[in-house]
Amino acid sequence: MEGAVKRVLFVNSEMTPYLKETDIADFSLALCTGIQDKKVEIRTFMPRYGLINERKNQLHEVIRLSGMNIIIDDVDRPLIIKVASLPSARMQVYFIDNEDYFRRKAMYTDEAGKFFEDNGDRAVFFARGVLETVKKLRWSPDVIHCTGWISHVLPLYLKKCYKDDPIFASSKVVLSLINDTPSDDAFNPKLSEIIQFQGVSAEDVTAMEHPSGINLAKLAIEYSDGVIASADKVPAELMDYAKKKGLPCLPFDAKQLADGSYVDSYKSFYDKL
């Protein structure tokens, strides 16, 4: 990449203030606002979970961006795009919504703590929904920064399905690894088939022959341009995997996270890709 990045697309699993405050949600907000303060133009996306209070957070549908259907496992799913403004950060947040996938009053597990069987399908829908919406916005990001396991299908789709689209011609993918990796038996055994889509073959998703959270993260790493350990206790095998792939890697730094200087490190990381 020549020179400093000018546009960054953030694809987050969660973000303050739309969900209960967590380390991940707080980190996502701080990173978005921190990079924006570096005079970088940003766009931010996250799922519209049923836990989000639309009235309180003043979400509203963007009709011109909604309306298309995304086929997941042979079923048409309407894509609905909503947006909210965060005045304190001078930032708009786009939400990927669908009644079947994102209206339940939980993020990833039911009342008994069981991982939803269709969480893999939701990740596929989220990734495709983000990329299709960015195309409609006609906004070309220099960097796409993915945080959270539900964003882990996006690097594959960007590099295989959208590689010839002029909107994404120069886009680089940065993957933030955090401590949210689903368990070994979390996903539908058919997930590797469900992921296969225009331009994506079985050979492209061999990492998902056993559809675990670790393997989904490895799939994301394979199609990323740089990897950052953005939390403590990220599985060591994932960072080792990224290094073996020859990818630029930024290790976790608790001091920088605490004092906010990680924003400078991340921006420098972007610029060097």
Side-chain angles (χ1 to χ4, degrees), residues 13-53:
S13 59
E14 55 190 280
M15 194 171 79
T16 303
Y18 301 106
L19 294 164
K20 180 180 178 181
E21 288 190 17
T22 64
D23 289 343
I24 296 171
D26 290 346
F27 163 78
S28 296
L29 175 62
L31 178 59
C32 290
T33 54
I35 293 297
Q36 183 174 249
D37 287 344
K38 299 292 180 186
K39 308 302 181 185
V40 175
E41 186 179 349
I42 73 165
R43 295 287 187 275
T44 304
F45 281 79
M46 65 177 286
R48 190 300 213 185
Y49 306 102
L51 292 169
I52 297 173
N53 187 318

Side-chain angles (χ1 to χ4, degrees), residues 33-234:
T33 54
I35 293 297
Q36 183 174 249
D37 287 344
K38 299 292 180 186
K39 308 302 181 185
V40 175
E41 186 179 349
I42 73 165
R43 295 287 187 275
T44 304
F45 281 79
M46 65 177 286
R48 190 300 213 185
Y49 306 102
L51 292 169
I52 297 173
N53 187 318
E54 289 200 359
R55 180 175 297 179
K56 175 183 176 182
N57 292 293
Q58 298 183 338
L59 272 67
H60 63 272
E61 184 176 352
V62 186
I63 302 298
R64 69 182 179 87
L65 298 176
S66 300
M68 74 173 292
N69 281 2
I70 292 177
I71 300 174
I72 305 291
D73 201 17
D74 296 326
V75 179
D76 275 7
R77 312 280 184 180
L79 172 63
I80 300 169
I81 306 300
K82 294 181 178 174
V83 69
S85 295
L86 201 55
S88 61
R90 298 171 288 105
M91 180 170 63
Q92 283 191 321
V93 180
Y94 293 89
F95 296 84
I96 299 296
D97 197 4
N98 172 267
E99 187 168 343
D100 294 328
Y101 288 146
F102 295 114
R103 295 298 174 89
R104 62 199 72 167
K105 299 295 183 181
M107 288 177 64
Y108 309 130
T109 59
D110 62 20
E111 293 179 355
K114 184 180 178 182
F115 204 65
F116 292 128
E117 290 184 3
D118 65 351
N119 273 339
D121 304 45
R122 296 167 88 204
V124 169
F125 186 90
F126 181 55
R128 288 177 57 189
V130 169
L131 292 169
E132 287 294 336
T133 304
V134 173
K135 279 182 60 177
K136 285 188 176 182
L137 289 170
R138 302 187 62 80
W139 187 80
S140 299
D142 297 318
V143 168
I144 302 175
H145 192 144
C146 297
T147 302
W149 72 260
I150 202 168
S151 71
H152 284 181
V153 182
L154 190 148
L156 166 69
Y157 284 161
L158 179 75
K159 297 300 177 68
K160 299 297 293 187
C161 307
Y162 294 83
K163 60 184 174 63
D164 296 324
D165 193 300
I167 291 291
F168 301 110
S170 302
S171 299
K172 302 290 186 180
V173 179
V174 171
L175 183 70
S176 266
L177 294 175
I178 52 180
N179 50 1
D180 72 334
T181 308
S183 62
D184 284 350
D185 58 352
F187 294 108
N188 182 337
K190 290 176 55 182
L191 183 56
S192 64
E193 299 173 27
I194 293 168
I195 289 175
Q196 291 174 46
F197 166 64
Q198 172 187 336
V200 176
S201 66
E203 289 73 24
D204 298 319
V205 293
T206 53
M208 292 301 292
E209 287 178 359
H210 176 66
S212 66
I214 288 287
N215 287 340
L216 182 60
K218 286 182 177 179
L219 181 70
I221 290 168
E222 286 181 14
Y223 294 94
S224 294
D225 298 288
V227 176
I228 300 175
S230 294
D232 198 6
K233 299 180 181 178
V234 168

